[in-house]
Amino acid sequence: MSNYHIKHLEEYYQVYRKSVRNPSAFWEEIAEEHFMWRRKWDNVLSWDFSKPEVKWFEGAKLNITENCIDRHLFTRGDKTAIIFEPNSPDEEALHISYKELHERVCKFANVLKNNGIKKGDRVCIYLPMIPELAVSVLACARIGAIHSVVFAGFSANALATRINDCDCKMVITSDGSYRGAKTLDLKSIVDDAVENCPGVDTVLVAKRINSEINMVQDRDQWLQPLLDEASTDCQPEIMDAEDPLFILYTSGSTGTPKGMVHSTAGYMVYTAYTFKNVFQYREPDVYWCTADIGWITGHSYIVYGPLCNGATTVMFEGVPNYPTFSRFWEIVEKHKVNQFYTAPTAIRALAKEGVSHLEKHDLSSLKVLGTVGEPINEEAWHWYDDNVGKKKSPIVDTWWQTETGGIMITPIAFCTPTKPTYATLPFIGVQPTLMDADGNELTGSQVNGNLCIKFPWPSMARTIWGNHQRYKDTYFSAYENQYFTGDGALRDEVGYYRITGRVDDVIIVSGHNLGTAPIEDTINEHPAVAESAIVGFPHEIKGNALYGYITLKDSGEGRIHDNLRKEINQLITDQIGPIAKLEKIQFTQGLPKTRSGKIMRRILRKIAEGDTSNLGDTSTLLNPEVVESIIEGKK
Ligand code: PRX
């Protein structure tokens, strides 16, 4: 029996048992039957969470682009690999076949080589959702360069930090981007960033908005003329299974962003296998994930997972509300989308606009709906189920992380009965545990604890770029021999998991992970600010929004608070990006602290949520009187 395509619940349980009883044998079979290898592995898995060190398919040789593109050329050469749907509905969509994708990737890979990029070099990609983004990612993989995609909504400062952290030699960007009715000047952001990046010697610029931009001599080059001259022949670099494929930054609760390093073979096998099963992808389905390739969801489930399965994957440049809130449904109808994968924040924003937009469009092509990025609330779940899926398309609520590389806890469409707000069952090979604060595993049902994973899975990140100790401290030190996710979860009587949210100081705003410490550090740079504390509070559309408690220095007192609020948010926009702006700012006389000087965020969180009925014992605080004044000040 092939275990590659699971079709019903019993089969899921059967395959799951097999995958945990003998993981090596299980993954070996999957890898052997469904992928293209230049050399097979010597050893399927070796691991030691105490180091931590994990290796999958050691000794194997491959190139992931051969799996994503070349092997389909014979059977699917003319099939559409990528449908590019532009920001404006007036611009025509582009259908890129596997053959064309091959040609584009090879040419781009040759441009990289001609500009001195070699295997192992890091290349930063800062592009909007245009075909060049997917193509440049694959071009890096083709020649063994490590891509580091930075979401093109980050500021120059945030971009520079990420470029420098992994020593990128090259940045790939565009003259600008379209985002709804706006155009953004990406190139000048790159210019500002690269001024502080001595390691960057080349900036390649794709033309998208035809704006007049500044080109720096000897550094900047227009991409198109280079592509026009490049050869379409580029033999893939043969990589080791454990060679890094990419770095992707994610926020931590403290410190600089963490460059999660993903390897080649394990990542490929797991993302392809999850894609096929979770979404029940069957040819010639058209699959659409609305995420940006700047996030892990786009890496794994717009590019690598779908292409590895020879799927047709949609890349959308725009936003859900431009020109109207019908845009998503227009696209579903136009391209006859079969699987639609989005985030709860988008669902809530669309739900708020009512069903009239949906009623104008034929959504009968939809078979499977997906959600990712944050817990989905019951109301949004039902709205999605009733109005988009018409109660006939299962919703796969997929829980995973940048660090996990692929989907970890999820229903398998048409196999796993869904339950609103539950991510349901672990995917094949995934062994979750719930732990209490004392390090005991919580067994049985109806338990609530910290979510860990006790056994390696193929697509787990292998390290944090340049800081293995931090990788160990962050993920493998809370509990012995367990990967700690940073999320809380509960398990019900049938073994279904419900993710309850972060248990650390990461706040998820509109599905984006934001660490509180970097934002606080930024705010504290404002000359009028003495100190600050950020907490999350529930927000109707964004899931969570940021609430900042800020204490001013003497010099800041007397300043007009609204002006200060604007300045502080501007500072955050400049240093991090608009996604980290504070929704509410309250100026306070002080912040509640423990006797050891630690800010009591639990209390601040409750006040921000508007729940002051049960603040717990505040008498042990160094400054209990501050709490009353904060509650007063909020009113
Ligand atoms: O808190 C969980 C939440 O998003 C975090 C991971 O964020 P990031 O690395 O940006 O990756 C997002 C896309 C995979 C998790 O620790 N999260 C993600 N998916 C879900 C979720 N929370 C609840 N339900 C989900 N389906």
Short mmCIF file of all heavy atoms in Angstrom, two decimals, residues 187-206:
data_model
loop_
_atom_site.label_atom_id
_atom_site.label_comp_id
_atom_site.label_asym_id
_atom_site.label_seq_id
_atom_site.Cartn_x
_atom_site.Cartn_y
_atom_site.Cartn_z
N LYS A 187 12.65 50.24 -3.72
CA LYS A 187 14.07 50.43 -4.02
C LYS A 187 14.70 51.42 -3.05
O LYS A 187 15.85 51.24 -2.62
CB LYS A 187 14.23 50.88 -5.47
CG LYS A 187 15.65 51.22 -5.88
CD LYS A 187 16.57 50.01 -5.80
CE LYS A 187 17.92 50.21 -6.46
NZ LYS A 187 18.67 51.39 -6.07
N SER A 188 13.97 52.47 -2.68
CA SER A 188 14.61 53.44 -1.78
C SER A 188 14.76 52.84 -0.37
O SER A 188 15.68 53.19 0.37
CB SER A 188 13.87 54.78 -1.76
OG SER A 188 12.66 54.62 -1.10
N ILE A 189 13.87 51.90 -0.03
CA ILE A 189 14.03 51.20 1.26
C ILE A 189 15.32 50.38 1.21
O ILE A 189 16.12 50.37 2.14
CB ILE A 189 12.80 50.32 1.57
CG1 ILE A 189 11.56 51.20 1.72
CG2 ILE A 189 13.03 49.47 2.82
CD1 ILE A 189 10.25 50.46 1.91
N VAL A 190 15.51 49.69 0.09
CA VAL A 190 16.73 48.89 -0.08
C VAL A 190 17.96 49.80 -0.04
O VAL A 190 18.97 49.49 0.61
CB VAL A 190 16.68 48.06 -1.38
CG1 VAL A 190 18.02 47.41 -1.68
CG2 VAL A 190 15.60 46.99 -1.28
N ASP A 191 17.88 50.95 -0.72
CA ASP A 191 19.02 51.88 -0.72
C ASP A 191 19.39 52.27 0.71
O ASP A 191 20.56 52.27 1.09
CB ASP A 191 18.69 53.14 -1.52
CG ASP A 191 18.69 52.87 -3.02
OD1 ASP A 191 19.23 51.83 -3.43
OD2 ASP A 191 18.12 53.69 -3.77
N ASP A 192 18.37 52.63 1.49
CA ASP A 192 18.64 53.02 2.88
C ASP A 192 19.25 51.87 3.67
O ASP A 192 20.16 52.06 4.47
CB ASP A 192 17.34 53.47 3.58
CG ASP A 192 16.86 54.80 3.04
OD1 ASP A 192 17.62 55.44 2.29
OD2 ASP A 192 15.70 55.18 3.34
N ALA A 193 18.70 50.68 3.43
CA ALA A 193 19.20 49.52 4.18
C ALA A 193 20.64 49.22 3.81
O ALA A 193 21.51 49.06 4.69
CB ALA A 193 18.31 48.30 3.91
N VAL A 194 20.90 49.16 2.52
CA VAL A 194 22.21 48.67 2.05
C VAL A 194 23.34 49.64 2.41
O VAL A 194 24.51 49.23 2.52
CB VAL A 194 22.14 48.33 0.53
CG1 VAL A 194 23.51 48.04 -0.05
CG2 VAL A 194 21.23 47.13 0.32
N GLU A 195 22.96 50.87 2.64
CA GLU A 195 23.97 51.83 3.12
C GLU A 195 24.68 51.31 4.37
O GLU A 195 25.85 51.59 4.61
CB GLU A 195 23.25 53.13 3.50
CG GLU A 195 23.94 54.36 2.98
CD GLU A 195 23.02 55.55 3.11
OE1 GLU A 195 22.87 56.04 4.25
OE2 GLU A 195 22.45 55.95 2.08
N ASN A 196 23.94 50.51 5.14
CA ASN A 196 24.53 49.94 6.36
C ASN A 196 24.86 48.46 6.22
O ASN A 196 24.94 47.75 7.22
CB ASN A 196 23.55 50.14 7.52
CG ASN A 196 23.27 51.61 7.75
OD1 ASN A 196 24.20 52.41 7.82
ND2 ASN A 196 22.00 51.97 7.80
N CYS A 197 25.02 48.01 5.00
CA CYS A 197 25.32 46.59 4.79
C CYS A 197 26.58 46.47 3.95
O CYS A 197 26.50 46.34 2.71
CB CYS A 197 24.17 45.89 4.08
SG CYS A 197 22.60 46.00 4.94
N PRO A 198 27.74 46.48 4.56
CA PRO A 198 28.98 46.48 3.79
C PRO A 198 29.20 45.22 2.97
O PRO A 198 29.94 45.24 1.98
CB PRO A 198 30.06 46.62 4.88
CG PRO A 198 29.39 46.27 6.17
CD PRO A 198 27.94 46.55 6.00
N GLY A 199 28.53 44.13 3.32
CA GLY A 199 28.76 42.87 2.61
C GLY A 199 28.02 42.78 1.28
O GLY A 199 28.28 41.87 0.49
N VAL A 200 27.10 43.69 1.02
CA VAL A 200 26.30 43.58 -0.21
C VAL A 200 27.04 44.24 -1.36
O VAL A 200 27.34 45.43 -1.32
CB VAL A 200 24.92 44.27 -0.04
CG1 VAL A 200 24.16 44.32 -1.36
CG2 VAL A 200 24.10 43.54 1.02
N ASP A 201 27.35 43.44 -2.40
CA ASP A 201 28.01 44.10 -3.52
C ASP A 201 27.13 44.23 -4.76
O ASP A 201 27.48 44.96 -5.67
CB ASP A 201 29.38 43.47 -3.84
CG ASP A 201 29.32 41.97 -3.87
OD1 ASP A 201 28.31 41.47 -4.36
OD2 ASP A 201 30.28 41.32 -3.41
N THR A 202 25.99 43.54 -4.77
CA THR A 202 25.11 43.66 -5.95
C THR A 202 23.65 43.80 -5.51
O THR A 202 23.20 43.09 -4.61
CB THR A 202 25.20 42.38 -6.83
OG1 THR A 202 26.58 42.08 -7.03
CG2 THR A 202 24.51 42.56 -8.15
N VAL A 203 22.94 44.69 -6.19
CA VAL A 203 21.48 44.77 -6.01
C VAL A 203 20.86 44.59 -7.39
O VAL A 203 21.14 45.36 -8.31
CB VAL A 203 21.06 46.13 -5.40
CG1 VAL A 203 19.54 46.24 -5.32
CG2 VAL A 203 21.68 46.32 -4.01
N LEU A 204 20.05 43.54 -7.53
CA LEU A 204 19.35 43.31 -8.80
C LEU A 204 17.95 43.89 -8.68
O LEU A 204 17.27 43.67 -7.67
CB LEU A 204 19.25 41.82 -9.11
CG LEU A 204 20.55 41.04 -9.29
CD1 LEU A 204 20.23 39.59 -9.66
CD2 LEU A 204 21.43 41.68 -10.37
N VAL A 205 17.53 44.61 -9.71
CA VAL A 205 16.26 45.32 -9.61
C VAL A 205 15.29 44.88 -10.70
O VAL A 205 15.57 45.06 -11.89
CB VAL A 205 16.48 46.86 -9.71
CG1 VAL A 205 15.18 47.60 -9.41
CG2 VAL A 205 17.59 47.31 -8.77
N ALA A 206 14.18 44.30 -10.29
CA ALA A 206 13.13 43.94 -11.24
C ALA A 206 12.26 45.16 -11.48
O ALA A 206 12.05 45.97 -10.57
CB ALA A 206 12.29 42.80 -10.68
#
